[in-house]
Amino acid sequence: MKEHIFFGLLLISLLGCKSDRSTEKMVHRVLQEAPLIDGHNDLLIHYIWCGECPRELDAYPLDTATSGHIDLPRLRKGGVGALLTNIFGRGRQMNEYLQGWDLIYRLAEKYPEDLQLTTSSKEVRQAMKEGRIGIIPSMEHTYHLVDDLGRLRTLYHLGLRSVILAYDTNNIADGAYDKPVHDGLSAYGKEMVLEMNRLGIIIDLSHITEKGMLDALEITTAPVIFSHANARALTDTQRNVSDKVLLKLKENGGVIMLTPVNYFTTQEAYDYFFVKMDSVRKVFDERYPDPDQMTDEEIERADEEWMAWESANPLPVVTVKDFADHFDYVKNLIGVDHIGIGSDFDGMTYLIEGMEDASAFPHILSELANRGWTESELKKVTQQNFLRVFEAVEQRAEELKRSTNPRTAKVPTQDVD
Ligand SMILES: [Zn+2]
């Protein structure tokens, strides 16, 4: 009897190994045949906004291990084929913003074997076929697009292919964490959505309010994306996407690129940062209202108090399984054709366990495979759904460019923050 139990256990563990190996092989095949297109990253932060920034490309080389989430060896290990890369400057001035463009062009030139600036679905496919990682230029706000739509057109010519309409605070749309002033999209914001359709720029609805998402989905004539957001039904925050919006996204043919950001993945993590920690921070702010007036002793005491609070209230652990729950949820609600992955790497401090850097994409794919997701479903998630959207956006632009003139709306100055 004992032997039977022993052999039974052995058989189970051998089967376990076999299924682990076959899952691993399947995920490897998925990433070979359909390398992952990541919806969002902030790689440029290491040249523009770090402690020693601004700094040159040689001060943060990508061909060796970096201190951030992204470098070329880890992108390769993670099976990455293309990245929607956020282009930004040190400040809001256009000249500062253009320095971000200079950096991205120079990065692609510095690593010609590995990186390629790609501004069409065709170029993305070609780059991946030739073993390079495509960089699709994107923008995470619209500060630089105020004045008139000519700026949008100029940046399109530079290579801009995806734009988030506001970054948490109000701009041409109400920001997710601001007090709404436009009731969704401003009049100029609506014009911009239509001009993005005409040009062939992907509309990205991350970071704005639910009403803004619904407004944009109402008027766009091309599919949209959420480049980094999760399901609001599982983690209730404006940054995530409600069922109502997800159902509209399905009608629109767009994609939500789910994100491994700790506090958008579980309610416990969200409440930790935005309820529990916020209330403690308020107490500290009252006790120590002016840090400039504090003595060294007071600073030391405040640090100790803060660390004592943190060790008594540890950060909730969020796992790949929690992340996978968002994939299952969205798939059950609107289907696998509307799901991708957007990491937010290099823009985010609190990632989830098992998804800490660009080499970790196979982990979420393995978890999904273990939950019964098929090889063809995983390929949709890694690449095909996004490329379908990109192609539809390009095709719609071709039609509109033939039938309509460039829009000339100007923004009223009170329209932006
Ligand atoms: Zn973001």
Side-chain angles (χ1 to χ4, degrees):
M1 186 65 192
K2 264 185 183 167
E3 288 77 16
H4 287 159
I5 291 170
F6 173 75
F7 283 121
L9 289 172
L10 186 68
L11 190 62
I12 288 167
S13 87
L14 285 173
L15 284 173
C17 288
K18 189 165 177 282
S19 89
D20 279 357
R21 267 204 306 278
S22 63
T23 301
E24 216 174 278
K25 270 190 184 165
M26 193 246 255
V27 166
H28 184 73
R29 217 166 35 241
V30 166
L31 290 169
Q32 284 271 305
E33 291 169 17
L36 185 132
I37 301 180
D38 181 2
H40 187 83
N41 74 77
D42 289 314
L43 172 65
L44 289 191
I45 213 161
H46 298 289
Y47 305 100
I48 294 175
W49 273 0
C50 67
E52 307 93 73
C53 287
R55 61 182 172 185
E56 257 313 311
L57 301 186
D58 286 340
Y60 191 80
L62 289 184
D63 51 359
T64 53
T66 63
S67 57
H69 302 137
I70 296 174
D71 52 45
L72 294 172
R74 282 183 286 172
L75 287 170
R76 295 296 189 188
K77 196 174 168 204
V80 175
L83 303 157
L84 279 110
T85 298
N86 180 20
I87 307 214
F88 52 91
R90 210 168 157 80
R92 292 192 184 187
Q93 300 301 315
M94 194 50 134
N95 62 335
E96 295 170 306
Y97 178 58
L98 291 175
Q99 286 165 4
W101 279 93
D102 177 50
L103 279 168
I104 206 75
Y105 269 89
R106 286 196 289 126
L107 266 176
E109 279 167 17
K110 188 174 165 66
Y111 304 105
E113 306 286 309
D114 295 289
L115 299 177
Q116 181 183 332
L117 214 66
T118 45
T119 56
S120 67
S121 57
K122 204 172 152 195
E123 283 178 10
V124 174
R125 283 186 195 283
Q126 188 65 24
M128 291 193 296
K129 203 170 150 198
E130 291 168 9
R132 286 186 297 278
I133 297 164
I135 295 176
I136 307 163
S138 68
M139 186 193 240
E140 198 173 18
H141 52 72
T142 40
Y143 311 137
H144 306 300
L145 298 177
V146 295
D147 291 349
D148 67 60
L149 292 170
R151 288 196 180 202
L152 183 71
R153 285 187 285 276
T154 303
L155 292 171
Y156 172 83
H157 291 304
L158 210 49
L160 185 65
R161 290 297 179 271
S162 178
V163 172
I164 288 177
L165 305 179
Y167 180 67
D168 286 345
T169 54
N170 299 330
N171 200 282
I172 60 164
D174 291 326
Y177 294 133
D178 209 342
K179 202 170 158 204
V181 291
H182 300 304
D183 189 28
L185 289 190
S186 71
Y188 180 68
K190 289 177 183 168
E191 286 289 310
M192 191 179 291
V193 163
L194 296 174
E195 188 62 7
M196 284 167 67
N197 283 163
R198 201 192 68 83
L199 286 168
I201 293 179
I202 301 166
I203 296 155
D204 182 347
L205 300 181
S206 309
H207 283 287
I208 65 172
T209 58
E210 183 185 52
K211 181 62 168 46
M213 297 170 189
L214 291 168
D215 280 1
L217 282 161
E218 185 69 34
I219 61 170
T220 181
T221 56
V224 304
I225 63 168
F226 289 86
S227 65
H228 56 307
N230 285 338
R232 193 165 175 177
L234 300 189
T235 309
D236 187 14
T237 154
Q238 284 269 50
R239 269 291 281 112
N240 284 341
V241 186
S242 67
D243 287 4
K244 187 177 175 184
V245 174
L246 286 171
L247 291 166
K248 292 278 179 197
L249 182 71
K250 182 186 168 80
E251 278 175 33
N252 162 269
V255 173
I256 176 168
M257 306 179 88
L258 299 169
T259 192
V261 174
N262 168 306
Y263 44 73
F264 300 148
T265 304
T266 67
Q267 196 64 46
E268 196 194 0
Y270 180 82
D271 290 344
Y272 176 88
F273 282 101
F274 293 94
V275 182
K276 215 168 160 182
M277 196 181 259
D278 260 11
S279 65
V280 179
R281 197 170 283 130
K282 272 186 199 126
V283 173
F284 270 67
D285 287 348
E286 275 167 29
R287 201 178 300 161
Y288 308 108
D290 187 356
D292 290 338
Q293 300 297 318
M294 284 165 71
T295 63
D296 288 351
E297 269 172 29
E298 282 172 328
I299 290 172
E300 204 175 311
R301 198 170 65 233
D303 279 350
E304 275 169 16
E305 280 177 39
W306 185 261
M307 282 190 295
W309 182 84
E310 277 189 326
S311 64
N313 298 274
L315 183 68
V317 175
V318 182
T319 65
V320 173
K321 287 186 192 306
D322 296 316
F323 187 32
D325 290 345
H326 287 264
F327 288 77
D328 278 340
Y329 184 84
V330 176
K331 184 180 164 191
N332 286 336
L333 187 70
I334 60 172
V336 70
D337 290 340
H338 306 282
I339 302 173
I341 299 179
S343 70
D344 208 6
F345 284 145
D346 283 337
M348 182 49 55
T349 315
Y350 299 101
L351 288 153
I352 67 178
E353 213 175 75
M355 286 297 297
E356 286 93 353
D357 62 40
S359 69
F361 292 113
H363 299 166
I364 180 62
L365 300 177
S366 296
E367 175 62 25
L368 296 175
N370 289 335
R371 291 179 181 209
W373 289 52
T374 64
E375 195 166 332
S376 64
E377 287 176 332
L378 292 182
K379 285 180 182 169
K380 288 183 175 188
V381 169
T382 56
Q383 180 190 103
Q384 292 166 356
N385 289 339
F386 173 79
L387 284 176
R388 182 196 72 232
V389 168
F390 201 0
E391 280 164 2
V393 166
E394 289 167 336
Q395 200 181 336
R396 183 67 187 132
E398 261 177 50
E399 292 160 11
L400 288 169
K401 277 176 188 163
R402 277 199 299 271
S403 60
T404 58
N405 290 322
R407 292 178 174 265
T408 53
K410 296 201 186 310
V411 64
T413 44
Q414 73 273 17
D415 223 26
V416 291
D417 70 346

